[in-house]
Amino acid sequence: IAGITQAPTSQILAAGRRMTLRCTQDMRHNAMYWYRQDLGLGLRLIHYSNTAGTTGKGEVPDGYSVSRANTDDFPLTLASAVPSQTSVYFCASSASADTDTQYFGPGTRLTVL
Amino acid sequence: GQNIDQPTEMTATEGAIVQINCTYQTSGFNGLFWYQQHAGEAPTFLSYNVLDGLEEKGRFSSFLSRSKGYSYLLLKELQMKDSASYLCAVEDSNYQLIWGAGTKLIIKP
């Protein structure tokens, strides 16, 4: 079944550690996104990629980095995790960056202690 | 600044009708989305409006008034499985989605 997968499902991480959240889609979508979702707040865009080889900063990019080496994969890296990065992280993709429905992965629940 | 407002929580009865409102102020407008999110799961697409008026899709309908910066999601013949959060999102002039905090809908028998 086509879709988006994320790994890990959940993770507990010590502050200061490096962590990469993985995201893979098999729909050949050009655009991909990373969001974080916190209680009482809307989804907030961290980084995005309109096409393979390009990335851009969203609303809350500090402390995070991304790469887009190919169409399918869009990993999100926390270089040195801090407790404020405790959140649920969703990866999403859309056929194109312009006015196309975004489809979401199942999410990664990250706790930084 | 950009802002999406929707009620935090609503309660309705199984079999009834409920309307979830969303008002927005954004830099530009390229469309409005509604998503459903069950607890612990990912958001899933429900509807998209770019022109004024009502879009009907089965038990769910979505309305848009661009001049008023207003949308609503109408759910008819409510079922227990409709208990979820409903997220309103506006695509701004940069084609980025600005999300509301979501409305938690509780369905009672």
Side-chain angles (χ1 to χ4, degrees), chain A residues 39, chain B residues 6-12 18 20 34-35 37-39 75 82-88 101-107:
Chain A
L39 198 62
Chain B
Q6 43 181 140
T8 302
E9 187 175 297
M10 298 181 70
T11 302
V18 70
I20 302 174
W34 284 96
Y35 279 76
Q37 186 177 25
H38 285 101
L75 291 75
D82 297 330
S83 292
S85 289
Y86 291 85
L87 314 181
C88 174
T103 298
K104 182 178 181 181
L105 178 62
I106 299 167
I107 310 296

Side-chain angles (χ1 to χ4, degrees), chain A residues 18-46:
Chain A
R18 180 184 179 90
M19 176 74 191
T20 295
L21 308 185
R22 300 185 298 278
C23 174
T24 299
Q25 54 101 1
D26 63 2
M27 297 179 283
R28 307 305 293 172
H29 282 176
N30 284 314
M32 297 187 75
Y33 314 85
W34 273 106
Y35 292 94
R36 59 178 291 172
Q37 187 174 42
D38 302 291
L39 198 62
L41 298 177
L43 288 160
R44 291 182 292 169
L45 183 65
I46 304 170

Side-chain angles (χ1 to χ4, degrees), chain A residues 35 37 40-43 45 48 57-58 90 97-106 109, chain B residues 30-31 33 35 37 40-45 48 87 91 94-97 99-102:
Chain A
Y35 292 94
Q37 187 174 42
L41 298 177
L43 288 160
L45 183 65
Y48 64 93
K57 294 182 180 180
F90 286 104
D98 303 345
T99 321
D100 263 324
T101 301
Q102 293 185 15
Y103 297 91
F104 284 79
R109 184 174 296 274
Chain B
N30 281 304
F33 293 82
Y35 279 76
Q37 186 177 25
E41 298 183 6
T44 56
F45 170 75
Y48 171 69
L87 314 181
E91 194 159 36
N94 294 318
Y95 295 99
Q96 291 189 358
L97 288 183
W99 295 82

Side-chain angles (χ1 to χ4, degrees), chain B residues 42-99:
Chain B
T44 56
F45 170 75
L46 284 179
S47 68
Y48 171 69
N49 295 70
V50 65
L51 300 176
D52 289 351
L54 189 68
E55 294 280 343
E56 297 186 78
K57 193 183 293 185
R59 294 190 298 116
F60 292 7
S61 303
S62 56
F63 172 83
L64 174 66
S65 169
R66 289 173 297 172
S67 63
K68 295 182 179 178
Y70 168 70
S71 173
Y72 67 73
L73 181 69
L74 192 71
L75 291 75
K76 304 176 185 176
E77 301 168 17
L78 285 170
Q79 302 175 9
M80 297 304 293
K81 67 178 182 179
D82 297 330
S83 292
S85 289
Y86 291 85
L87 314 181
C88 174
V90 172
E91 194 159 36
D92 69 9
S93 56
N94 294 318
Y95 295 99
Q96 291 189 358
L97 288 183
I98 310 301
W99 295 82

